[in-house]
Amino acid sequence: MLAIKNATLVMRDHYIPNAVILLEDGKIADFGEARNLPIPEGCEVIDAEGLYVGPGFVDIHTHSDGKIFFPDDPVAACQHHMKHGTTTLLPAIYTGWNAEKQMEAANILRDAMENKPECANIGGFYMEGPYLNPDFGCDRTNNPWADGIFKEKYQPVIDAAGDLARVWCVAPEREGILDFILDCKAKNPNVFFAVAHSAASPQEIEALIPYGLRIGTHHTNATGDRPKYPECRGVCVDETVNYNDCIYAELICDSMGIHVDPYMLRLVRKIKGDDKIILISDAYACDGPIPPGYDGVDDINFDWEGEIAGSKMTLDISCRNMMKHTGASMVDVFKFASYNPARAVGFYDRGEIRKGLRADLVIADHWMTVKTVILEGEVVK
């Protein structure tokens, strides 16, 4: 058994100061104020020294460690995120890759999950495509899926991803998208869907909610506008995600508020409420030059056409930026980076401090500087 003492436990809606938490067999065995929970004799003890102890981060949307894509070096990418507190992640398989590369990536990542202990934080795949709107996102000129939706082309990718595809991203406006969704569900009935890289109407998006659409991919990024009249703003993806309470909003929260302006972050938080916000890293690997006007930017990437291409962040940094931009508390950001994403993709055994759940924990200071990481009851940092 492992005991953590002198902890400030971060619960879903409150703190427990001067607390003890007991871990056994990879699970949370018990927790509470120190005066009510004596530490059993023979326990290994970690002194948290008053720091915050919260659930491990769950990054449902990340491509890389900021330098190299997951399939190219799963161990390096997994360990980079693990050291920053991410105990569960979904590596993204991206629309910019052709079918052969997507299948190869799925096989490499599946092997890493099964045979490499250093990759124990992989929880499945985030399928960012293939059928997105080719007018949106980075590296648009090389999109190999822009010609149309054809079963003979996509079915091998669905088969390769199998039940490890926890999320399939789609552009609802693409002709034939429902056939693709039904085939995804036939392979994995528990899969969820996200609206991504899209200029869909509210009606097109809402028509897919009964099939499991419940996430807005990198909210307010790579989304279109559908103005009905020249004088007015259109109603499109962002508005639909904001309006529908059942849809989670992913947010890329970089230090300078480039992906999402700080005012927009506060607005989305006001509209969606704290139960429907998910922080993602969307860490990507792209070495395009920093375009004019982006002086001082060091935590996001650009492609060779000057488009934003994801981030170089981990979720501890995202949490810190969210606190800075919105005034969110430690309780709030642990919810955005742990509980909410876990629930959004069906990880009901983690994401909060509760008896019987996986003992995935982060010990951090008040600005989310990660000191210790625990994965299934074992200290990994």
Side-chain angles (χ1 to χ4, degrees):
M1 180 176 284
L2 174 64
I4 304 174
K5 68 177 184 178
N6 296 328
T8 302
L9 298 184
V10 184
M11 312 303 289
R12 280 172 53 191
D13 54 10
H14 65 287
Y15 302 104
I16 303 178
N18 192 23
V20 169
I21 181 167
L22 304 177
L23 315 178
E24 187 172 26
D25 297 329
K27 308 284 187 183
I28 297 172
D30 206 353
F31 62 88
E33 293 187 37
R35 62 182 178 179
N36 299 322
L37 184 61
I39 296 175
E41 288 192 19
C43 270
E44 179 185 354
V45 178
I46 295 175
D47 189 345
E49 300 179 340
L51 295 177
Y52 295 94
V53 178
F57 303 136
V58 179
D59 192 350
I60 68 168
H61 184 171
T62 180
H63 299 258
S64 80
D65 63 357
K67 298 178 181 178
I68 188 167
F69 290 111
F70 273 90
D72 295 329
D73 193 340
V75 171
C78 285
Q79 286 298 299
H80 174 75
H81 285 273
M82 183 88 79
K83 291 174 183 177
H84 288 268
T86 299
T87 53
T88 301
L89 51 78
L90 301 183
I93 294 178
Y94 189 54
T95 187
W97 300 342
N98 63 23
E100 290 72 22
K101 187 169 182 180
Q102 290 197 5
M103 289 186 286
E104 179 186 16
N107 291 331
I108 290 170
L109 294 172
R110 185 185 296 273
D111 177 72
M113 289 179 68
E114 295 174 353
N115 300 310
K116 292 181 169 60
E118 305 93 336
C119 298
N121 53 346
I122 297 180
F125 309 151
Y126 187 94
M127 307 298 294
E128 194 172 7
Y131 292 120
L132 310 183
N133 188 319
D135 291 335
F136 299 95
C138 67
D139 201 23
R140 293 194 290 271
T141 57
N142 298 314
N143 190 320
W145 301 91
D147 53 346
I149 297 179
F150 304 108
K151 184 178 177 69
E152 63 273 18
K153 186 175 180 180
Y154 69 66
Q155 189 64 50
V157 177
I158 292 177
D159 292 339
D163 59 359
L164 291 181
R166 299 195 77 95
V167 179
W168 284 94
C169 295
V170 296
E173 69 271 28
R174 291 200 61 168
E175 184 177 356
I177 199 66
L178 184 57
D179 291 336
F180 172 74
I181 285 173
L182 292 175
D183 285 333
C184 290
K185 288 183 70 67
K187 188 68 177 181
N188 180 11
N190 298 317
V191 74
F192 299 109
F193 296 92
V195 53
H197 297 224
S198 171
S201 70
Q203 294 74 26
E204 290 169 327
I205 297 167
E206 290 170 352
L208 300 183
I209 290 175
Y211 299 94
L213 189 148
R214 63 189 299 179
I215 298 170
T217 293
H218 42 56
H219 188 44
T220 77
N221 296 135
T223 52
D225 188 19
R226 285 194 170 194
K228 193 171 184 179
Y229 305 102
E231 300 83 2
C232 72
R233 178 181 176 82
V235 178
C236 198
V237 177
D238 300 334
E239 291 76 18
T240 310
V241 172
N242 282 340
Y243 184 78
N244 282 274
D245 294 339
C246 61
I247 300 179
Y248 290 85
E250 293 180 358
L251 294 172
I252 307 171
C253 194
D254 57 67
S255 61
M256 296 179 66
I258 292 170
H259 279 91
V260 189
D261 186 273
Y263 193 94
M264 181 64 76
L265 288 169
R266 296 190 287 271
L267 176 62
V268 171
R269 189 178 175 199
K270 184 173 183 178
I271 294 170
K272 294 299 297 178
D274 289 348
D275 291 336
K276 291 297 180 179
I277 287 174
I278 295 173
L279 288 177
I280 59 169
S281 69
D282 197 19
Y284 198 74
C286 200
D287 58 357
I290 297 176
Y294 289 92
D295 298 336
V297 174
D298 61 4
D299 59 359
I300 65 177
N301 291 303
F302 299 90
D303 67 16
W304 287 92
E305 296 176 351
E307 295 283 350
I308 295 174
S311 87
K312 300 177 182 178
M313 298 187 296
T314 45
L315 282 188
D316 55 339
I317 299 171
S318 302
C319 288
R320 192 176 308 135
N321 291 335
M322 192 71 172
M323 294 164 73
K324 179 179 76 170
H325 293 322
T326 73
S329 70
M330 290 291 282
V331 165
D332 300 328
V333 293
F334 267 110
K335 180 178 284 189
F336 303 155
S338 300
Y339 182 79
N340 291 353
R343 293 308 177 274
V345 300
F347 288 126
Y348 301 113
D349 63 342
R350 68 199 77 175
E352 65 174 320
I353 293 177
R354 182 155 56 88
K355 290 182 185 180
L357 295 196
R358 271 182 36 155
D360 295 351
L361 300 170
V362 170
I363 302 178
D365 68 12
H366 66 290
W367 277 115
M368 201 57 88
T369 303
V370 173
K371 306 295 185 180
T372 303
V373 182
I374 296 171
L375 176 69
E376 293 193 78
E378 299 290 333
V379 175
V380 293
K381 176 193 174 181

